Amino acid sequence: MSEATLRAEGLTKSFPGVRALDGVDLSLRAGEVHVLLGENGAGKSTLIKILSGAYRPDEGRVLMDGRPVEIRDAGDARRLGISTIYQEFNLVPDLSVAENLSLGRLPRRFGLVDTAAMQRRARELLERVDVRVDPRTPVRRLGIARMQMVEIAKALSLDARVLIMDEPTAVLTTGEVGKLFAIVRRLRDEGVAIVFITHHLEEIAEIGDRVTVLRDGRSVAEVPAGTPQDELVRLMVGRPVDQQFPRRPAELGEPLLSVRGLTRRGAFDDVSFEVRAGEVVGLAGLVGAGRTEVARAVFGADRYDAGEVFVRGRRLPPHDVHAAMEAGLGLVPEDRKGQGLVLGAGIGENLGLVTLRDATRAGFVDLKGQRTAAARVAEQLGIRMTGLDQEVRTLSGGNQQKVVIGKWLAAQAGVLILDEPTRGVDVAAKVEIYQLVNALTDSGHAVLMISSDLPEVLGMSDRILVMARGRLVGELRADEATQDGVMALAVTDVAGSRAE
Amino acid sequence: MRSKQGGTDSRSSAWLAENGAVAALVVLVIALSLLSSDFLSLTNLLNVGVQAAVTAILAFGSTFVIVTGGIDLSVGSVAALSAITLAWTATEGGLPWPAAVVLSLATGVACGLVNAVLIAYGKLPPFIATLAMLGIARGLALVISQGSPISMPEAVSHLGDTVGRFLPIPVLVMLVMGVVAAIILNRTFPGRAMYAIGGNEEAARLSGIKVSRIKLITYALSGAFAAVAGVVLASRLASAQPQAAAGYELDAIAAVVIGGASLSGGKGRALGTLVGALILAVLRNGLNLLSVSAFWQQVVIGVVIALAVLVDTLRRRGTN
């Protein structure tokens, strides 16, 4: 058995409130494609960020060729020959392909950039990845597939011995995937150790040699890539669903939210569903399946091409947040800090954001009334704070999320769309948020909950909708749904639509 | 526990930022009254007030814009255009002066609205949109006046006088505009919405705030305040000059920033802006009294602006 090129032992990494990695082991051999498999939040990104020097582990060590190494930053990773290709490319769009390939190491002659040498080097590298493109072309003009090839060429220019690819096929068409695989195989045969992350199970047997499965921050199994798909799914999600989900079904009432045939080209297609008073509908699927896009379109934050949205039977005008809000719709967005909160403002100010206009009397905002209302909501949600003036920035993730939900409670929104409501929230606060959802449905609210956390979707929904590639591909009653069932729906159709 | 400390830290540093400017003003006044016997007289202090008035009024308008995270480079030019509009319509156009005043304000508002449309709907960066308006308004002022000063109508130039033989009207106007700005920022829906937009535009939008509409109001207010400043300046000089207030937009921005606002938006108060404008005026006045050359004055003021922003940046780093 050949010596591992790179070995990670017992990597542990905690963030405030979350243990992202808990004693993860990984062993990479030269000349293998090693698939990293796991649900969203299982720890894949944290692991590759440690290997590429973006994070430092709290515990554990990394060995290369059997010797312990320190990867303190991206420079260390580069010197060790570890290159990472993230989903967001690290290219400068307005510079040429050649300049991007030589970025930071421009060949110089007499103090000036040696353009000829730069072009020559670029041609050689592009040759290796089998891409025919003029090195003088600005990267912006390449399609996404060729940008990825440029990224790979860049990694090669650094003499990468370990190449980490984070979901490289997510953005490619079938033909492009085939081409990518050809290059990955060629690099493997040249002796590069490749870490390959993918959600598409059918790709594993095709490209992979071995698979390490991560779950809840632990490496739970290392299996051959030929392992059957349902076995992989079981390894990936097979944790017991314990009683951390206190869902208390409420009496169902009228449909409060109806969505019919909602379509935006390239994002989602013919999406129809209803959410009734007292009901929690879970929206499951892989990242990129179009769930957030649908939620934002329903709420009026983004446009859609066709379809209709009704709240309490009244049709909402498209792309009009204010109208959606007036109709009683509220959105707790996925990106809490970027879209949900004014971080530099106080808790009171944030809680009053939605009601600001309605609290205006004769041109003046009723600041006292706003504060009283904010204090009441803060009390109701149990937001732990020093006072209403405390900056939201300084709150924990769970308390921040309560503020985002709270601003809609203050506005008495009847239909709440929660997009990843417990992401980055610690376990205790999660349960508080679940209890809040129960309280909401008890009082006749309707809740649409998007979550990539399967146990959460299963545990907290009354009904589950599954999306894949922009379409609703299934609907399950919560009591008959299983994690494998939901996951199977979420991934199988991916293969189907890929073949189109 | 940690969040508790963060809370008090940010509150005390906010206090410092607010009152840091006040403290700087007090120190400056004490230092100058020790250095120059002429400084601490009622006449001189009122003179400082008159000097500060135009900058302060422009700066109140800029405060709205900066709170939303934008910038308005056109206020000096808009002030000149508005004053020229008033003088021209009242003299050449033969309009009664109240109508001319209304037209002048409308000119300021119109310039602001054009800025806002370019920014909110045309998606131009505020810097570019208002840079264009800086040229356009100044050019129009020159075109209308054919490059020469136009005398102000008698009734309006009383704005440059004093009431009760001691309180200069520009100072009075400055205080009134300051109170108006403070009320808009603190107590009205558009004002509160400006802070939300400057703090996080997307969060504001997803909370049902019509961001584009608030930007229209913001830049229109900036234009209106610029018009008032232009008229006050012209009244003091008894004539509207097409080249008046050139470069004042930078003083206005400096006053807002010295007053504790952040150019990245979400922070800023009318009182801080007033203090910022007073600091600039006191500095200029004091340096004059100390016979510091006009050349060195620019250096000193540049240093003060850099220090003010440096303090803001350090404070921000402290709270993050």
Side-chain angles (χ1 to χ4, degrees):
Chain A
M1 189 179 145
S2 65
E3 175 64 29
T5 301
L6 182 147
R7 182 190 292 280
E9 292 177 351
L11 290 181
T12 297
K13 175 78 185 171
S14 296
F15 297 104
V18 190
R19 174 161 280 207
L21 286 189
D22 192 0
V24 165
D25 300 327
L26 178 72
S27 132
L28 288 180
R29 293 183 207 135
E32 77 161 340
V33 176
H34 196 114
V35 177
L36 211 49
L37 190 63
E39 287 184 275
N40 302 313
K44 292 174 310 222
S45 339
T46 311
L47 175 57
I48 64 174
K49 281 185 173 157
I50 286 175
L51 295 180
S52 58
Y55 293 157
R56 304 196 59 184
D58 302 333
E59 283 167 46
R61 57 181 192 161
V62 179
L63 300 99
M64 283 201 74
D65 304 320
R67 277 189 304 277
V69 292
E70 287 268 311
I71 312 174
R72 279 162 309 216
D73 52 30
D76 280 352
R78 192 167 58 208
R79 277 185 289 280
L80 291 165
I82 302 173
S83 275
T84 307
I85 299 174
Y86 291 102
Q87 281 173 284
E88 302 83 32
F89 300 141
N90 272 318
L91 297 171
V92 187
D94 289 311
L95 293 186
S96 71
V97 171
E99 282 169 299
N100 269 287
L101 288 175
S102 293
L103 216 56
R105 301 161 301 122
L106 290 174
R108 256 158 292 193
R109 217 158 60 129
F110 313 125
L112 299 175
V113 173
D114 184 348
T115 320
M118 187 174 80
Q119 309 276 8
R120 212 174 323 115
R121 186 198 281 178
R123 260 187 223 101
E124 282 164 23
L125 287 167
L126 293 170
E127 184 90 0
R128 272 184 81 190
V129 294
D130 196 22
V131 175
R132 265 165 286 279
V133 56
D134 185 340
R136 287 168 300 187
T137 319
V139 162
R140 187 186 290 289
R141 296 234 295 272
L142 305 178
I144 214 131
R146 289 202 292 176
M147 281 193 199
Q148 194 171 54
M149 293 302 169
V150 172
E151 276 277 16
I152 296 174
K154 200 167 119 190
L156 296 181
S157 76
L158 301 167
D159 295 320
R161 299 180 55 213
V162 175
L163 182 61
I164 303 170
M165 307 177 84
D166 188 4
E167 289 200 55
T169 57
V171 292
L172 302 183
T173 63
T174 318
E176 291 165 346
V177 168
K179 219 172 152 204
L180 174 74
F181 283 1
I183 290 172
V184 169
R185 285 195 195 99
R186 192 199 296 183
L187 295 175
R188 178 190 64 191
D189 295 342
E190 288 175 15
V192 179
I194 294 161
V195 177
F196 198 92
I197 297 178
T198 182
H199 275 302
H200 303 159
L201 298 178
E202 76 280 2
E203 291 174 359
I204 294 175
E206 194 183 342
I207 190 71
D209 297 305
R210 291 190 298 162
V211 182
T212 290
V213 183
L214 293 184
R215 189 205 304 152
D216 292 336
R218 294 165 200 261
S219 38
V220 292
E222 194 195 86
V223 294
T227 308
Q229 288 191 14
D230 42 353
E231 173 66 10
L232 290 175
V233 169
R234 197 191 57 75
L235 285 170
M236 198 162 53
V237 299
R239 75 196 110 174
V241 183
D242 44 44
Q243 250 338 83
Q244 53 181 335
F245 305 106
R247 175 67 191 144
R248 188 171 66 233
E251 198 167 313
L252 296 193
E254 294 293 293
L256 292 187
L257 172 67
S258 314
V259 174
R260 290 184 204 154
L262 207 64
T263 300
R264 185 170 72 229
R265 277 182 284 282
F268 48 85
D269 192 16
D270 196 21
V271 173
S272 303
F273 61 88
E274 273 188 354
V275 189
R276 301 160 74 107
E279 189 180 30
V280 178
V281 172
L283 195 49
L286 298 175
V287 168
R291 297 170 300 164
T292 295
E293 288 76 4
V294 167
R296 287 179 54 96
V298 167
F299 183 62
D302 295 326
R303 295 175 193 289
Y304 47 88
D305 299 324
E308 295 165 309
V309 177
F310 298 85
V311 174
R312 291 197 174 86
R314 263 192 24 235
R315 186 174 171 192
L316 295 185
H319 200 51
D320 187 342
V321 170
H322 188 248
M325 206 184 88
E326 296 276 285
L329 205 54
L331 171 72
V332 174
E334 176 184 29
D335 178 2
R336 180 165 60 232
K337 292 181 181 175
Q339 304 179 339
L341 295 167
V342 182
L343 286 174
I347 293 164
E349 191 100 347
N350 272 283
L351 285 173
L353 217 49
V354 179
T355 50
L356 200 52
R357 183 198 306 262
D358 290 339
T360 304
R361 310 257 174 285
F364 293 104
V365 175
D366 174 14
L367 291 179
K368 224 180 185 173
Q370 284 279 87
R371 260 187 107 75
T372 318
R376 201 179 52 235
V377 171
E379 164 89 45
Q380 182 191 342
L381 296 181
I383 297 172
R384 275 174 287 279
M385 58 182 186
T386 53
L388 287 174
D389 290 325
Q390 184 180 348
E391 270 188 43
V392 167
R393 188 194 307 282
T394 61
L395 292 177
S396 71
N399 279 304
Q400 285 184 343
Q401 191 65 294
K402 288 188 205 165
V403 174
V404 186
I405 298 174
K407 73 179 180 184
W408 294 109
L409 291 192
Q412 292 169 338
V415 183
L416 278 177
I417 305 176
L418 310 178
D419 194 351
E420 304 286 2
T422 62
R423 177 180 288 174
V425 165
D426 61 51
V427 179
K430 268 186 190 174
V431 175
E432 286 183 83
I433 289 173
Y434 297 146
Q435 268 150 2
L436 184 63
V437 168
N438 281 334
L440 285 170
T441 51
D442 279 349
S443 57
H445 288 69
V447 174
L448 176 68
M449 185 177 76
I450 299 177
S451 172
S452 298
D453 185 345
L454 273 180
E456 174 176 291
V457 175
L458 291 171
M460 284 309 296
S461 311
D462 301 323
R463 197 151 56 86
I464 297 164
L465 305 172
V466 185
M467 272 190 89
R469 293 263 156 140
R471 286 171 180 272
L472 277 182
V473 293
E475 178 176 335
L476 303 162
R477 284 217 337 254
D479 47 9
E480 61 184 29
T482 60
Q483 297 192 29
D484 299 16
V486 171
M487 202 62 179
L489 277 172
V491 292
T492 45
D493 191 66
V494 172
S497 65
R498 171 77 58 76
E500 275 166 19
Chain B
M1 197 59 204
R2 238 174 92 196
S3 60
K4 240 176 216 171
Q5 281 174 350
T8 30
D9 270 4
S10 63
R11 217 173 311 152
S12 58
S13 63
W15 187 93
L16 251 179
E18 183 85 24
N19 302 276
V22 177
L25 182 60
V26 171
V27 170
L28 204 56
V29 167
I30 292 173
L32 286 172
S33 36
L34 293 176
L35 289 169
S36 162
S37 52
D38 300 325
F39 180 77
L40 206 60
S41 68
L42 187 61
T43 332
N44 187 54
L45 288 184
L46 287 172
N47 190 23
V48 169
V50 173
Q51 300 291 335
V54 173
T55 309
I57 298 168
L58 286 175
F60 291 137
S62 290
T63 307
F64 300 119
V65 174
I66 288 174
V67 162
T68 65
I71 193 106
D72 191 346
L73 296 177
S74 68
V75 293
S77 298
V78 170
L81 177 62
S82 303
I84 290 284
T85 304
L86 194 164
W88 190 81
T89 52
T91 54
E92 304 281 316
L95 283 184
W97 69 265
V101 168
V102 170
L103 261 181
S104 159
L105 285 175
T107 305
V109 170
C111 291
L113 287 176
V114 171
N115 281 333
V117 167
L118 290 175
I119 293 161
Y121 300 98
K123 304 290 174 203
L124 288 192
F127 191 99
I128 300 301
T130 61
L131 182 63
M133 183 54 71
L134 177 147
I136 294 168
R138 180 71 61 189
L140 286 177
L142 287 162
V143 169
I144 293 170
S145 64
Q146 293 175 323
S148 325
I150 309 175
S151 57
M152 289 290 274
E154 178 68 22
V156 180
S157 37
H158 285 308
L159 271 178
D161 295 352
T162 52
V163 272
R165 299 176 60 83
F166 90 97
L167 183 61
I169 295 181
V171 174
L172 201 61
V173 176
M174 169 177 79
L175 295 176
V176 170
M177 295 309 277
V179 170
V180 170
I183 290 175
I184 293 175
L185 282 171
N186 293 329
R187 298 298 316 276
T188 69
F189 170 67
R192 300 317 302 165
M194 287 173 200
Y195 286 96
I197 292 171
N200 187 340
E201 186 165 329
E202 185 63 6
R205 191 170 79 90
L206 292 181
S207 300
I209 291 171
K210 294 183 174 170
V211 172
S212 297
R213 186 175 297 178
I214 300 296
K215 284 188 178 171
L216 284 179
I217 296 172
T218 304
Y219 286 88
L221 278 170
S222 179
F225 275 62
V228 172
V231 172
V232 168
L233 180 60
S235 306
R236 256 176 57 207
L237 307 171
S239 75
Q241 301 179 1
Q243 292 291 13
Y248 278 33
E249 56 277 348
L250 300 182
D251 272 8
I253 293 167
V256 177
V257 171
I258 292 172
S262 153
L263 282 182
S264 49
K267 296 231 147 69
R269 299 187 59 174
L271 180 63
T273 297
L274 176 63
V275 172
L278 288 176
I279 286 178
L280 287 177
V282 166
L283 256 181
R284 289 218 169 90
N285 174 271
L287 295 170
N288 274 335
L289 291 179
L290 298 173
S291 321
V292 175
S293 87
F295 304 154
W296 275 111
Q297 288 190 23
Q298 298 198 26
V299 175
V300 172
I301 288 168
V303 169
V304 167
I305 294 170
L307 280 178
V309 181
L310 195 63
V311 167
D312 178 61
T313 315
L314 291 176
R315 174 173 59 102
R316 202 181 298 278
R317 205 177 296 162
T319 49
N320 280 358

